[in-house]
Amino acid sequence: MNIMDFNVKKLAADAGTFLSRAVQFTEEKLGQAEKTELDAHLENLLSKAECTKIWTEKIMKQTEVLLQPNPNARIEEFVYEKLDRKAPSRINNPELLGQYMIDAGTEFGPGTAYGNALIKCGETQKRIGTADRELIQTSALNFLTPLRNFIEGDYKTIAKERKLLQNKRLDLDAAKTRLKKAKAAETRVSQLNSARLEGDNIMIWAEEVTKSEQELRITQSEFDRQAEITRLLLEGISSTHAHHLRCLNDFVEAQMTYYAQCYQYMLDLQKQLGSFPSIYHCNNNQTSVAPIPSASSNVIGSSALTSTSGLVITSPSNLTDLKECSGSRKARVLYDYDAANSTELSLLADEVITVFSVIGMDSDWLMGERGNQKGRVPITYLELLN
């Protein structure tokens, strides 16, 4: 029974406090009550925290869009995150494109120029897809997670203490208003003509003034304490900015690694495609990047032609035959070629080199020799000489 009485009294007291705050807030909005202003430093901290929260949310959401453009996938990831479960792994767009290219190249035939190129492009796209997946994972861990922790953790604590400070400020101003009204009533009563009424009412209002002054001291103390707590939390925003700066550096480094990987993958792919005959490098209405003599172009499409020097120029089918034999042959270089690494041999157009096959070497390459220099050379850059 005593516990019930206590709960009822507490409920009544809370209701009275809520009503007092509502009245004070309404009167402030109507300009009928004074409002205690926060000091300029605290106001600046509150403004800085609010600004940090707004821009952190915008940056976080747009980063999520950048890393995962598919809104349905983002919703799915959000649901799994709230359920504290790992989202199922799905193939991303570059990986899917790469798989389609590989399947198409296999269907067309790896031995054809187009089929071989599709397979090489597909493998590169799948490597880009893997790099994309690593970028998403690294960015989520090192950049998005700290931003989300601030929004869902630190800022929620700040918002809670800020709301409590607002309530303490309303209690303080309500106490000031009650004290002001009590003193005004005491002054009016003291001016009454009746000595009996004056004595009774002065005593009543004197007690009310004393009670109001005590309440004001309590509310002032609680307001000052809450203002200090809020100020200490808000001053931590500077540390938050420093932490987010480190996270931003991690994000930039992750992007830099990703784009560097993609660039290297495409550079390697370009070199691989460069080993194909030049007629495969251009569109119908475009010329080749490298100028190639007409006689050289004819080499690709004919089975056997005779050059102006009387040497017989053989077709790619003869080059294939060369790979199947163990001897060496002379070959003329069709166009310049820059070695991609130390295992390859750089070539100059029109020079003659010795070529021979090596067991286990890729079908698109031969081993070239020029004096003391030796290295792999792309087979389609050569004219085999008899």
Side-chain angles (χ1 to χ4, degrees), residues 27-240:
E27 289 181 348
E28 288 176 359
K29 292 298 182 181
L30 297 175
Q32 298 175 357
E34 295 181 1
K35 175 182 177 180
T36 300
E37 299 293 341
L38 302 177
D39 64 81
H41 178 60
L42 187 56
E43 287 285 4
N44 289 335
L45 290 176
L46 288 170
S47 177
K48 184 178 180 180
E50 182 67 18
C51 183
T52 301
K53 179 251 186 183
I54 292 173
W55 284 110
T56 300
E57 283 183 332
K58 289 183 178 181
I59 292 172
M60 183 178 68
K61 290 179 179 178
Q62 192 57 38
T63 303
E64 291 174 345
V65 173
L66 173 69
L67 297 176
Q68 179 51 269
N70 188 342
N72 294 329
R74 292 200 303 273
I75 293 174
E76 182 183 19
E77 291 172 357
F78 175 79
V79 172
Y80 275 99
E81 182 181 349
K82 292 303 179 183
L83 295 176
D84 197 21
R85 295 176 58 186
K86 184 178 180 181
S89 179
R90 63 158 55 85
I91 188 170
N92 56 31
N93 292 331
E95 290 173 332
L96 184 60
L97 174 60
Q99 190 59 53
Y100 285 165
M101 286 183 169
I102 292 174
D103 293 344
T106 303
E107 184 75 17
F108 296 148
T112 65
Y114 183 44
N116 193 6
L118 279 172
I119 292 175
K120 292 181 183 299
C121 289
E123 292 171 349
T124 299
Q125 290 296 330
K126 294 189 78 169
R127 284 195 290 268
I128 290 175
T130 301
D132 185 69
R133 194 182 300 278
E134 293 174 355
L135 171 65
I136 292 175
Q137 293 174 349
T138 303
S139 300
L141 178 65
N142 297 334
F143 186 59
L144 288 178
T145 298
L147 298 187
R148 188 176 292 108
N149 288 342
F150 167 73
I151 296 297
E152 298 179 355
D154 295 347
Y155 189 79
K156 279 190 175 180
T157 302
I158 290 174
K160 178 182 177 181
E161 297 299 332
R162 181 178 183 176
K163 182 178 180 180
L164 189 56
L165 176 63
Q166 172 73 357
N167 291 336
K168 296 299 182 182
R169 202 255 325 147
L170 289 172
D171 292 343
L172 174 62
D173 289 337
K176 289 180 179 179
T177 300
R178 283 192 291 271
L179 177 59
K180 183 178 180 181
K181 290 180 179 180
K183 287 184 176 181
E186 182 184 30
T187 301
R188 287 196 302 271
V189 169
S190 65
Q191 296 174 354
L192 294 177
N193 296 328
S194 173
R196 183 180 62 81
L197 291 176
E198 179 182 355
D200 294 342
N201 284 276
I202 286 178
M203 184 177 296
I204 293 174
W205 285 108
E207 292 177 356
E208 185 66 24
V209 169
T210 301
K211 182 180 177 181
S212 297
E213 287 176 343
Q214 183 180 3
E215 182 182 3
L216 178 60
R217 285 193 295 270
I218 294 173
T219 54
Q220 182 70 59
S221 175
E222 291 179 348
F223 171 77
D224 293 340
R225 178 176 175 275
Q226 185 59 38
E228 182 64 17
I229 293 174
T230 306
R231 183 184 64 80
L232 291 175
L233 283 174
L234 291 172
E235 287 178 347
I237 291 294
S238 296
S239 299
T240 299

